[in-house]
Amino acid sequence: MNISLPETLKTFVDQQVSGRGFGTSSEYVRELIRKDQDRQNLRRLMLDGATSTQTQSVDESYFADLRDRARHSR
């Protein structure tokens, strides 16, 4: 895959590659794509959660029970 960029964006990408430790511009672009996938996945999860029905209050007892279950599952 080849991507054409205007000079200003190419300069920006080159700066990111050299300043952030990427070996190539392809590595930088792959990282951007992974982060975008993560953001989209998080957004989907948040929307799913927002439209789901509430089943239990999330309070201190909820987290205490969660910690107990995590400790006993080891």
Side-chain angles (χ1 to χ4, degrees):
M1 174 185 295
N2 292 318
I3 299 172
S4 298
L5 298 174
E7 193 58 38
T8 55
L9 289 179
K10 183 183 178 318
T11 300
F12 177 79
V13 170
D14 290 343
Q15 290 169 346
Q16 297 306 302
V17 169
S18 64
R20 295 175 57 191
F22 293 99
T24 65
S25 57
S26 291
E27 288 177 14
Y28 175 66
V29 170
R30 282 192 293 271
E31 180 66 17
L32 292 176
I33 292 168
R34 284 186 205 98
K35 286 183 178 183
D36 192 41
Q37 287 176 323
D38 290 345
R39 277 191 295 272
Q40 288 182 24
N41 187 43
L42 179 58
R43 184 175 192 275
R44 181 187 53 78
L45 290 171
M46 291 174 68
L47 289 172
D48 289 349
T51 58
S52 67
T53 58
Q54 185 176 352
T55 57
Q56 179 182 358
S57 291
V58 178
D59 55 13
E60 182 54 38
S61 65
Y62 170 85
F63 288 107
D65 180 54
L66 190 60
R67 282 190 292 274
D68 287 342
R69 287 188 290 151
R71 283 185 196 111
H72 292 103
S73 68
R74 293 180 191 174

